[in-house]
Amino acid sequence: MKKLFLLFIVICTTTVFSQKRILDTITSQKLNEDREITIGLPPSYQKNIKQNFPVLVLLDGDFLFDPFQGALSYGNYWDDLPEVIIVAIHQNKNNERETDCATEPTTGLPAEKGEKFFEFIGMELLPYIQKKYRCAPFKIIAGLDTTAGFLNCYLYKDNPVFDAYVSMSPELPAGMEEQIPERLAAIQKPIFYYQSIADGDVKKMKTRIQAMDEAIKKITSKTLNYRFEEFKGASHYSLVLYSIPDALYQIFSVYQPISMTEFQEKIATLPSGYVTYLTQKYDILEKSLGLKVQIRLNDFKAIEAAILKNKAYDEFDQLAQLAKKDYPKSMLADYEMAQMYEKKGDNARAVKSYLAAFQKEEIGDLTKDMMIGKSDELKASLPKKGKKGKVEPVVEETSPTDTPQADTPPTEIPTETPPPTETPVEEKKP
């Protein structure tokens, strides 16, 4: 447990400075008051001016900002998680988290200030952020205990404003363990739903959450991506440090590069369509998360390996077209074509493609020396050309003992077949 806390302390203190923090204040007509928020912009926000980013809204933003930001920065360093715009709502004044999340005792719906806070997030905060920053359509909301229970209220809408929900040890309002499973089964849009509990949670609260978990697990909807975790040995508060990376890796699983498991279980076993698998992976990423991402070089390598493993050499042509689109100045496209020609035995065209690759920019482990080496290796196997460009026939050499000398006549001529002395005359038909 101490190691876990130390890890997050290191992550938060070393990476937080790479993300720009902005303390902002929103004058809310719904709440009739000013509310403080902290905006965390991705490190590449100013550099990547054409990129939009998913939005993560944090209830209890006073203490959840740092652990979420640390996990996201760490995951993005390894290219496992995308960069995200974090919007943390401050709720540490005058018991705001309790009044913000007030619900009606019998229906469990937002009531009094809770109703106004519910509308503040959907009708004021999100439009403000979307107008001011480059936001992708994908939106996440997260909270702990009181705020975790409250965020479930957004699922009561026919078209929920959020796409992903991180509910850590939620204190469920009345009737929610029955109503949320019904809503998750009825919602047509894709929904990511994560909830967790810990050994240290109150037993009565855990019993209700577990009942809701059992009901959700029975849902067969293809649009629901659900994950539940019960952490042994964790307290109510250390639960957060376990849950955050777990939830983020669930929600952004489609973003991650092709892993060895994915390659072995989903790609290498296909009879064909390896390039189609790659394009669909990135199409889903764009449609589900709103992220337009350049195909990773390592993912190209994974598809190359699948093509070679299954001898589907014609698919190198399709892979080359993708390479031209995503890496137009690099040697990748010509290299893919060269592999196709070489594996199909067309060494002459393979040499031309390797030499064409030599003229382009190096990328990854593909170098100019490698292209020249490949072309020289294949050139040695090509037939030589004569002075006029014609292919010279290969002359087979024979040993001197097998070939009689021209000026030495044979010592004996068989009498059965005397050598002709003149040109034979065609025999006339009778």
Side-chain angles (χ1 to χ4, degrees), residues 58-125:
L58 295 178
L59 308 182
D60 287 322
D62 306 277
F63 57 80
L64 286 183
F65 184 96
D66 282 346
F68 265 97
Q69 193 275 335
L72 283 164
S73 293
Y74 181 80
N76 182 254
Y77 179 86
W78 299 109
D79 202 22
D80 279 348
L81 299 175
E83 292 182 312
V84 171
I85 295 174
I86 303 176
V87 182
I89 304 174
H90 294 220
Q91 294 179 282
N92 62 348
K93 295 180 181 179
N94 304 319
N95 200 32
E96 283 176 331
R97 71 192 307 267
E98 299 294 335
T99 57
D100 285 345
C101 300
T103 56
E104 212 281 324
T106 56
T107 64
L109 297 174
E112 299 177 353
K113 190 182 179 183
E115 183 177 4
K116 297 176 182 178
F117 185 69
F118 181 89
E119 293 177 347
F120 159 71
I121 293 176
M123 301 173 69
E124 293 182 327
L125 176 64

Side-chain angles (χ1 to χ4, degrees), residues 34 37 56 95 135 174 188 196 250 260 279 297 361 396 406 418:
D34 292 342
I37 59 173
L56 168 61
N95 200 32
C135 302
Q188 297 299 310
S196 59
Q250 174 214 356
M260 182 58 69
T279 55
L297 185 58
E361 295 179 0
E396 296 184 2

Side-chain angles (χ1 to χ4, degrees), residues 1 197-200 206 210 229-235 242:
M1 187 68 69
I197 58 175
D199 277 352
K206 287 171 60 178
Q210 288 167 338
E229 287 291 347
E230 182 173 358
F231 295 106
K232 305 296 183 182
S235 70
Y242 289 101

Side-chain angles (χ1 to χ4, degrees), residues 129-426:
I129 297 299
Q130 290 168 335
K131 183 178 180 180
K132 195 169 183 179
Y133 302 103
R134 299 193 308 275
C135 302
F138 193 79
K139 297 179 287 294
I140 312 164
I141 188 168
L144 172 68
D145 52 55
T146 299
T147 58
F150 183 81
L151 64 81
N152 286 316
C153 293
Y154 287 99
L155 290 167
Y156 291 146
K157 291 286 187 179
D158 290 334
N159 185 26
V161 65
F162 292 101
D163 306 281
Y165 300 76
V166 181
S167 178
M168 297 177 286
S169 189
E171 294 181 7
L172 300 175
M176 191 166 276
E177 63 265 44
E178 294 89 16
Q179 295 165 358
I180 291 302
E182 292 176 359
R183 290 300 307 138
L184 291 173
I187 295 171
Q188 297 299 310
K189 66 179 287 186
I191 292 291
F192 294 84
Y193 191 80
Y194 176 91
Q195 69 172 341
S196 59
I197 58 175
D199 277 352
D201 283 328
V202 177
K203 184 176 180 180
K204 182 179 180 180
M205 183 176 67
K206 287 171 60 178
T207 300
R208 295 184 64 201
I209 298 170
Q210 288 167 338
M212 187 167 79
D213 169 56
E214 291 299 324
I216 296 175
K217 284 178 178 176
K218 295 178 182 178
I219 298 174
T220 57
S221 172
K222 293 182 179 180
T223 60
L224 176 62
N225 187 318
Y226 175 64
R227 184 176 178 87
F228 173 79
E229 287 291 347
E230 182 173 358
F231 295 106
K232 305 296 183 182
S235 70
H236 178 71
Y237 298 107
S238 66
L239 162 86
V240 169
L241 301 183
Y242 289 101
S243 299
I244 290 175
D246 207 37
L248 292 174
Y249 272 78
Q250 174 214 356
I251 293 168
F252 293 118
S253 61
V254 69
Y255 177 85
Q256 296 160 28
I258 294 173
S259 64
M260 182 58 69
T261 300
E262 183 179 3
F263 175 81
Q264 292 176 342
E265 297 181 359
K266 295 183 178 181
I267 302 175
T269 55
L270 291 172
S272 61
Y274 311 104
V275 179
T276 299
Y277 181 96
L278 182 63
T279 55
Q280 288 179 347
K281 177 181 175 72
Y282 282 82
D283 286 345
I284 292 171
L285 177 59
E286 184 174 3
K287 291 176 182 177
S288 63
L289 303 182
L291 293 174
K292 183 67 175 176
V293 179
Q294 185 182 42
I295 297 177
R296 300 174 179 89
L297 185 58
N298 283 343
D299 287 351
F300 270 100
K301 291 296 183 183
I303 300 304
E304 283 179 24
I307 291 173
L308 292 170
K309 178 180 176 65
N310 294 281
K311 300 181 180 180
Y313 305 133
D314 286 335
E315 291 205 24
F316 274 123
D317 193 356
Q318 301 173 48
L319 198 59
Q321 298 307 313
L322 286 182
K324 284 182 181 179
K325 181 180 177 183
D326 279 34
Y327 300 94
K329 296 181 180 180
S330 80
M331 59 177 60
L332 183 59
D334 292 303
Y335 173 72
E336 306 293 8
M337 293 301 295
Q339 287 195 94
M340 181 183 74
Y341 292 133
E342 182 178 355
K343 293 301 179 181
K344 294 175 73 174
D346 191 345
N347 289 352
R349 299 177 86 175
V351 168
K352 289 181 180 180
S353 293
Y354 281 127
L355 291 177
F358 174 80
Q359 304 297 324
K360 306 288 180 62
E361 295 179 0
E362 296 181 345
I363 181 171
D365 60 352
L366 304 181
T367 65
K368 292 181 179 292
D369 287 344
M370 177 183 176
M371 299 304 120
I372 284 294
K374 288 277 190 180
S375 64
D376 287 346
E377 182 181 341
L378 291 179
K379 279 180 183 179
S381 67
L382 297 178
K384 298 180 179 179
K385 294 183 178 181
K387 296 181 179 180
K388 296 183 179 180
K390 295 182 179 181
V391 176
E392 294 183 346
V394 178
V395 180
E396 296 184 2
E397 295 183 356
T398 56
S399 63
T401 57
D402 296 333
T403 306
Q405 297 297 323
D407 56 352
T408 306
T411 57
E412 182 178 354
I413 299 177
T415 57
E416 294 85 359
T417 55
T421 57
E422 58 182 6
T423 305
V425 179
E426 184 178 353

